[in-house]
Amino acid sequence: MSCRSLADRIDALLPQTQCTKCGYDGCRPYADAIAQGSAPINRCPPGGDDGIAALSELLQTPALPLDLERGEPGPLLVARIDESHCIGCTLCIQACPVDAIVGANKHMHTVLADWCTGCDLCVAPCPVDCIQMVPAGRAWTNADADISRQRHRSHLARAERLAADNARLMAPEAPAAASAPPAPEDDAQSQDRKRSAIESALARARARRNPTQS
C-alpha cells in the first residue's frame, strides 16, 4: 500500500471539521502525517474514541486514549453571529475553512448552520466578540464529512487563486521592450546610396558655380 493511498484511507476516517486542533492545518495534512508515521492517531477531538478505534483498526496499531490537550469531544456546535453587533470586518469569513459564513465588507455577516463544522476558528478573530458556539441539535454524519471535505478543497483552491492573482498584481511591471533596431542594410546597397547622394550634391554645387553651363 503506497503512502498516498494510505493517507487517502486515513483521511476518509477523519471527521473533516478542519478544526486544526490536531496541530495541523486540516484533516488532510493530519492524515498525511499519520500515514508517514510522524503523528499519533489520537489527536482528533471531534473524532473522539470512535475515530481512534477506526484508525487503529485500519493501521493495525493499538488504540490510544484521546490526547485531551488537543481538546475534548462533545456534541456538535455551530457558530452563531450576533448580527446586531457585527461590524462587517470579514475576519470570520476569512477564517472559516468551509465558507460557511457569508456577508460583505461593512455589512452584516451570517452563518450557514448546515455548512458549519463547529471548528470555532471564527471566534478568536472577531474583534467585537459577537460570535458564539451553540449546540447544533444534531449529530455530525459521514455525509457531512464528505461534503465538508469538498468545501474545504474548494476553499483552498480559491485561496490559492487569489494569492496568485495578488502576486501578479503586486509584481513590478516589466520594462517596456526596447524597439528592435532596424535591420542592417546590405553594405553594397548602402555604399551605392551614399555614392549617389554625394554625386548629386556635387552636381548641384557645380551647377550653382557655373550657371551658364548647359
Side-chain angles (χ1 to χ4, degrees), residues 50-102:
D50 290 343
I52 293 173
L55 292 171
S56 172
E57 181 179 358
L58 171 66
L59 299 172
Q60 296 297 296
T61 58
L64 300 172
L66 180 65
D67 182 356
L68 296 179
E69 291 185 1
R70 302 288 171 178
E72 296 189 9
L76 176 65
L77 303 177
V78 294
R80 178 180 294 169
I81 296 175
D82 183 346
E83 297 174 351
S84 65
H85 290 89
C86 177
I87 60 174
C89 68
T90 75
L91 293 178
C92 60
I93 292 177
Q94 298 171 44
C96 181
V98 292
D99 300 326
I101 304 176
V102 294

Side-chain angles (χ1 to χ4, degrees), residues 157-171:
R158 188 179 69 257
E160 290 177 0
R161 288 195 301 271
L162 290 174
D165 290 344
N166 288 336
R168 284 194 293 270
L169 291 174
M170 296 300 292

Side-chain angles (χ1 to χ4, degrees), residues 102-172:
V102 294
N105 189 36
K106 297 183 180 180
H107 290 77
M108 179 184 69
H109 303 342
T110 192
V111 177
L112 304 176
D114 290 343
W115 288 31
C116 181
T117 67
C119 69
D120 80 14
L121 293 175
C122 59
V123 174
C126 179
V128 293
D129 296 326
C130 71
I131 304 177
Q132 291 183 324
M133 302 303 297
V134 301
R138 67 182 184 89
W140 187 255
T141 67
N142 290 335
D144 289 322
D146 291 340
I147 295 173
S148 177
R149 182 185 294 105
Q150 293 302 321
R151 288 172 180 154
H152 185 52
R153 288 175 178 172
S154 297
H155 173 86
L156 293 177
R158 188 179 69 257
E160 290 177 0
R161 288 195 301 271
L162 290 174
D165 290 344
N166 288 336
R168 284 194 293 270
L169 291 174
M170 296 300 292

Side-chain angles (χ1 to χ4, degrees), residues 184-196:
E185 292 181 324
D186 179 80
D187 288 343
Q189 292 180 345
S190 177
Q191 291 300 323
D192 288 343
R193 289 196 183 93
K194 289 179 182 179
R195 188 178 301 107
S196 177

